[in-house]
Amino acid sequence: MPSALVGVMSMTELKKLGVIGGVGPLATARLFRRVVELTDAHCDQEHLDVTVLNRPQIPDRSAYLLGQPGARSFVEPMQQAARELEAAGCEVVATPCNTAHAREAAIASALTRARFVSMVGEVVRLLAYVSARRVGVLATDGTVHAGVYGYALASCGIEVAYPDAKGQREVVRVIYEEAKARSSVQAGCLDELFRAFAQAGCDAVVLGCTELSLVDAPLSYRGMVTVDALDVLAAACVRASGAQVRKGEVERSFDGRLAQALLQLQDEGGE
């Protein structure tokens, strides 16, 4: 059978991916790109069918979780987006917003057939797989306040470390004043935080806000592995949609220990 026909036929085995996006817009664009880069495809027809709803009007997640005056719930708009994606034929749904995962169950409950891929769940599973013991988390105030990573990591027996008050203010500044406002970040802006986590005995650091994926963070630092939640989600979306992740791109994007774990999870059929 001609190879072109094989490629077309293989598309019937793939599941359509839907993305609740706009939270924020640049993270959404990056997730789509990373899904493409991490898919082991050799022609256009072997890539995933992806529908992206870019909804920047979804209310600020941190403001709502922190109970700020006038803050509106983001849950119902994200539930509506999930329903629209399912109605469009999506069988796998994800969102590139760590903070929104504080209400992950409520958002996923809007789906009747599609599977919701948990970014936080995938990150924690990967950290547990590599036997992480103490993990530093860089995230929004809302994510930290809601214990999005704290509870999930603790449930696996993994200790959690956060920046001190000054460090947390710097994290929020980078997210909102650089990444969200200017779509760029200053090189080395997280170096001091990485040093603090290393001194605190961490063996991993989670970039727990997808805007932090814009930071040119090292794959590892003084023995700590860096876990970019957005990249982990992209790989999980590829697997959940029935495709294979591209081995070379995984090895380029992750520290060797994490890359090996991701590839082993795929070989074991983990989605």
Side-chain angles (χ1 to χ4, degrees):
M1 181 179 294
S3 59
L5 291 180
V6 172
V8 171
M9 288 182 64
S10 67
M11 284 294 295
T12 62
E13 302 172 3
L14 301 179
K15 297 176 182 178
K16 185 174 180 178
L17 171 64
V19 177
I20 305 173
V23 284
L26 199 61
T28 302
R30 183 177 174 86
L31 175 62
F32 176 64
R33 177 173 178 167
R34 296 302 288 144
V35 166
V36 173
E37 292 172 340
L38 283 161
T39 301
D40 190 17
H42 303 90
C43 62
D44 292 349
Q45 292 73 25
E46 292 180 356
H47 278 281
L48 298 176
D49 186 336
V50 183
T51 296
V52 178
L53 287 182
N54 196 57
R55 291 280 169 82
Q57 294 77 23
I58 292 173
D60 186 274
R61 283 66 64 197
S62 277
Y64 178 70
L65 293 172
L66 294 170
Q68 295 179 1
R72 296 181 295 117
S73 172
F74 61 88
V75 177
E76 292 76 14
M78 294 191 77
Q79 289 176 324
Q80 177 59 30
R83 285 191 286 267
E84 290 180 37
L85 289 169
E86 191 172 60
C90 296
E91 299 173 83
V92 178
V93 174
T95 186
C97 179
N98 288 273
T99 310
H101 281 69
R103 298 292 183 268
E104 173 188 335
I107 296 168
S109 71
L111 300 169
T112 58
R113 300 179 304 279
R115 171 191 170 186
F116 185 85
V117 180
S118 169
M119 176 159 50
V120 174
E122 291 294 332
V123 167
V124 172
R125 183 170 67 145
L126 180 61
L127 287 166
Y129 197 89
V130 297
S131 302
R133 300 179 305 278
R134 183 173 175 81
V135 175
V137 176
L138 299 175
T140 65
D141 286 345
T143 298
V144 174
H145 174 77
V148 173
Y149 278 100
Y151 291 125
L153 288 166
S155 70
C156 294
I158 301 173
E159 295 183 27
V160 184
Y162 297 106
D164 60 17
K166 178 184 176 182
Q168 182 62 26
R169 286 194 296 271
E170 177 62 10
V171 173
V172 172
R173 187 195 67 78
V174 170
I175 292 170
Y176 284 93
E177 296 181 19
E178 295 195 31
K180 285 185 180 290
R182 298 198 298 269
S183 299
S184 63
V185 294
Q186 184 178 1
C189 60
L190 300 181
D191 288 355
E192 186 175 337
L193 294 164
F194 270 69
R195 282 194 292 270
F197 282 142
Q199 292 170 0
C202 294
D203 49 14
V205 177
V206 173
L207 302 183
C209 175
T210 47
E211 268 71 33
L212 296 179
S213 297
L214 298 177
V215 177
D216 188 21
L219 299 184
S220 62
Y221 179 86
R222 296 186 183 179
M224 300 185 304
V225 295
T226 302
V227 182
D228 185 331
L230 188 145
D231 275 3
V232 174
L233 176 62
C237 285
V238 171
R239 296 197 312 269
S241 299
Q244 295 286 302
V245 295
R246 190 185 297 274
K247 181 175 182 289
E249 184 61 27
V250 170
E251 292 174 338
R252 185 193 71 81
S253 305
F254 295 87
D255 171 85
R257 289 161 288 180
L258 296 178
Q260 183 180 17
L262 279 170
L263 294 171
Q264 287 176 343
L265 283 169
Q266 175 169 267
D267 291 342
E268 293 170 6
E271 294 185 2

